[in-house]
Amino acid sequence: MRTSYIASVIALAQSLPTQACDDCYGPQNDVVLTRNVRRMQPDAQEATVQPRAPLEWGQLNFLHTTDTHGWLEGHIKEQNYGADWGDFVTFSRHMKHMAGNYGVDLLLVDTGDLHDGAGLSDATRPNGNVSNAIFENIDYDLLTIGNHELYVTEIAYETFSNFSKFYGDKYITSNVQIINPTTGQFEYIGSQYRYFTTNHGLRIMAFGVLFDFTGNSNVSKVIKTADLVKQQWFLNAINFDRPIDLFVVIGHNPPRPTASTSTFGTLFKTIRNLRPNIPIQTFGGHTHVRDFVVYDNKATGLESGRYCETLGFLSMSGINSSTYRGNRNPRGVPNPTRKAVAVPSGTASASLSSGTTSVMASNSSSNGTTNSTTSATSTLVYSRRYLDWNRLTFAYHASGSQDFDYRSGLRVSEEITNERKTLNLTALYGCAPATYCQYCQPFGAPGNIFTLTEIALATVVVNSSRANNPRLIIINTGSIRFDLVKGPFTYDDSFIVSPFDDSFQFLPDVPYSLASQVIGIRNAGAFEKRELTADDFDFPQLTLDRDICRDPPISHDHLEPRSFAGGRVVRRQNTAPTPGYTTKDDFGTDGDDTPHSAIPNFRQPNNVQANASFPADGSKPEKVDLVFLDFIAKDIVSALNSVGGKYTTANVQQYLPKSFTTNSYLPAYAKVAWQAGVPNCPVGQGVGFSS
């Protein structure tokens, strides 16, 4: 049984097994299904554009995931990213088989943030109760913790008592500790480091380092990287008493040193100063971008996007090792050829043009890397690729789709389908008539999600006892986490678009002359990214029991059209190059596995404001109810006072019940405004596509 309530933590710590059961994973026991079965979730879109070329296999290869945030069902309404976790289970097994056939090593790496972003992870208590168990179907070689595993005590203990024990010493938290409820003492959530030898003899020392996060609950502790690199155990591990062929440093931590939260520069310098000629490979996350960084001629870093949109692939050859028994350049496939030298392209960026957080830095000597070299000439060559998360991509790189499916992958896909039904994630609120994006349309355009929120707020955020009072409703745009794609708008989508639990408060009868100035003051300030806090984890939730090695029987219910409650998707096909990621990194612009057309990226305001119940003759009211989110209440009061108001937070009142939150108003709007077409909702193709 999987549970993590605090009252049960001590019992869990004493009773949980310390490793995964032997038969949870293993391609040697898998059965390939040769039937032409359409996988993914039954309501998912299929990609139409395949990758540009086969992968370049090297002496050592990596598959990298990060910031999955519960998107294990894939992006149901976006064709570029429609694969689910079962498809990835199958693909990872194919890749392991291929690595064995080529006589090379393949390692699977994840760098944290497993939930808070989609219903499969967020509709349970605690968050991740179901999705973590599904995630565990991948036999990762190295994993580390993200900040979203630490916000809430209950989730932190779930990670400590269950998730870290499942992966054993592969789960590395070099700078993250938690109070053991049995002893009352701090101890590492995972292992401090991992020294291991690959199947073909490479000797690797691995660390897992979270950025200097300070928003964790008080039962955990994040050791600052500047302090970590001075600790004797860390220095001893760098100067280990056994040979090291490669350092692998993973972290929920941006690999580009100029990113504001990155601490990889400190880690790189420390290791390089002590071991000047040993290669260093980093894998990062947190900034939700595609990026590849060159530190020196024997050190690079990779970040692989977000939300199951991207699967990172990295290969390298030229690692000197006296114990390596594999092929340095496997035959029959392309091999890596590029030295670790940054291209002088002027800038380095890696983001989805529709608005993923970008890391920008000038290139050459100021590209955000050290631009230094080791004391010896490097024999290393590299290749990196950012794979779109879809079935067509996976089948292409698995060397043919006819024999793609493994029974283990089908089982996981079916489990996702069943869990989505159990959690009621496909419950239909309405049919979104268009795609509303965060950044691909200018503010005010019909396809801009913040334009939509103004309409929705004016429609449904209303206190019935004050319905006739003119009101201004202000929310911060950081309360919207993702795009809203044309098609069925479901319970799942409510988490995807805005998982936050901010309630609506107000100041009654504020002079319009003051209230009307607040939006301008708010938009003149700095952007406020809305981070999750402990208060955001109290949605109506369902706790499910789940054995670690559950192996449900295979059925084909998931191949049927979606039920009436969820809406039936009407699919369209597109054979033209699709809008999507257009990445520029330290190796240039050829990293995207599937070429895409760029998606526009428009700047958006910090806040939006809706007007409601204003005089029908177009005149301005004398007074208004100024409505806002509790998250920004102090700032609203401050803005009012800056233009002559005399308010305090003691004047703030609750406008609607606390149960009606930022997670509630779009579903409420869909119920009244988006009923056309229900239950047969036409679905779009994703962000950036024309309607």
Side-chain angles (χ1 to χ4, degrees), residues 313-598:
F313 176 81
L314 178 90
S315 61
M316 54 193 303
S317 293
I319 304 170
N320 295 319
S321 172
S322 61
T323 56
Y324 183 68
R325 303 178 303 277
N327 294 321
R328 295 180 183 271
N329 290 293
R331 296 181 178 179
V333 289
N335 305 133
T337 59
R338 301 182 66 166
K339 297 284 188 179
V341 178
V343 297
S345 58
T347 61
S349 69
S351 68
L352 186 62
S353 296
S354 62
T356 312
T357 303
S358 292
V359 178
M360 302 295 295
S362 62
N363 213 330
S364 187
S365 62
S366 58
N367 68 342
T369 70
T370 64
N371 203 32
S372 62
T373 58
T374 61
S375 60
T377 300
S378 174
T379 59
L380 293 167
V381 288
Y382 298 85
S383 174
R384 83 327 182 195
R385 196 83 68 83
Y386 310 107
L387 279 62
D388 283 355
W389 193 279
N390 61 63
R391 169 125 173 145
L392 183 61
T393 291
F394 292 167
Y396 175 90
H397 290 305
S399 298
S401 60
Q402 290 302 312
D403 298 337
F404 180 71
D405 286 298
Y406 281 121
R407 190 172 297 277
S408 54
L410 295 174
R411 185 184 69 237
V412 173
S413 292
E414 183 176 13
E415 182 177 358
I416 293 170
T417 302
N418 292 338
E419 296 289 14
R420 291 181 70 220
K421 291 179 180 178
T422 300
L423 294 171
N424 212 27
L425 294 177
T426 57
L428 183 65
Y429 294 128
C431 296
T435 291
Y436 303 94
C437 61
Q438 292 176 286
Y439 301 99
C440 75
Q441 295 282 345
F443 177 64
N448 180 286
I449 196 168
F450 304 118
T451 307
L452 169 69
T453 60
E454 290 186 333
I455 300 170
L457 291 167
T459 304
V460 301
V461 177
V462 52
N463 180 324
S464 58
S465 67
R466 303 181 65 86
N468 294 325
N469 292 43
R471 59 192 180 276
L472 297 176
I473 308 165
I474 298 176
I475 68 169
N476 58 306
T477 53
S479 65
I480 298 294
R481 190 172 177 86
F482 197 69
D483 310 301
L484 195 165
V485 180
K486 178 180 178 179
F489 183 73
T490 64
Y491 181 48
D492 192 13
D493 291 297
S494 72
F495 293 101
I496 289 170
V497 177
S498 182
F500 306 113
D501 202 17
D502 301 321
S503 66
F504 289 88
Q505 297 181 331
F506 82 120
L507 290 166
D509 301 322
V510 177
Y512 179 77
S513 60
L514 300 182
S516 61
Q517 298 183 64
V518 171
I519 188 68
I521 295 169
R522 294 283 298 155
N523 282 335
F527 175 75
E528 294 173 319
K529 180 183 178 183
R530 176 64 168 89
E531 290 286 4
L532 288 160
T533 67
D535 294 335
D536 292 309
F537 296 86
D538 195 26
F539 297 111
Q541 295 161 323
L542 174 66
T543 301
L544 300 179
D545 296 339
R546 202 282 190 187
D547 292 333
I548 286 177
C549 291
R550 191 170 80 174
D551 185 8
I554 297 297
S555 76
H556 298 286
D557 294 342
H558 55 281
L559 299 179
E560 298 298 322
R562 188 158 62 170
S563 63
F564 179 92
R568 183 170 58 84
V569 170
V570 179
R571 296 185 179 88
R572 298 183 302 169
Q573 295 295 324
N574 175 32
T575 57
T578 57
Y581 279 90
T582 53
T583 306
K584 181 186 295 183
D585 60 24
D586 279 6
F587 264 12
T589 59
D590 61 350
D592 294 314
D593 187 50
T594 301
H596 290 292
S597 57

Side-chain angles (χ1 to χ4, degrees), residues 5 10 29 37 41 88 140 157 175 185 190 307 312 329 335 409 418 442 452-453 464 478 495-496 525 570 673 681 685:
Y5 295 103
I10 294 178
N29 297 322
V37 180
Q41 290 303 292
F88 179 45
Y140 282 101
Y157 274 122
N175 68 329
Q185 302 297 313
Y307 301 167
N329 290 293
N335 305 133
N418 292 338
L452 169 69
T453 60
S464 58
F495 293 101
I496 289 170
V570 179
C681 302
Q685 297 161 292

Side-chain angles (χ1 to χ4, degrees), residues 215-249:
N216 49 302
S217 75
N218 59 10
V219 301
S220 62
K221 178 169 63 176
V222 179
I223 301 166
K224 291 185 180 299
T225 301
D227 297 324
L228 170 69
V229 298
K230 298 174 185 176
Q231 294 184 350
Q232 194 58 50
W233 77 262
F234 186 77
L235 300 174
N236 290 344
I238 295 173
N239 290 308
F240 206 54
D241 58 4
R242 283 177 278 177
I244 297 173
D245 299 320
L246 174 70
F247 286 100
V248 176
V249 185

Side-chain angles (χ1 to χ4, degrees), residues 25-27 92-93 96 108 135-143 167 170:
Y25 175 87
S92 67
R93 284 157 168 73
K96 285 282 189 180
L108 273 63
F135 185 95
E136 289 166 0
N137 283 280
I138 296 292
D139 187 23
Y140 282 101
D141 298 281
L142 297 170
L143 309 90
Y167 282 106
K170 299 176 181 179

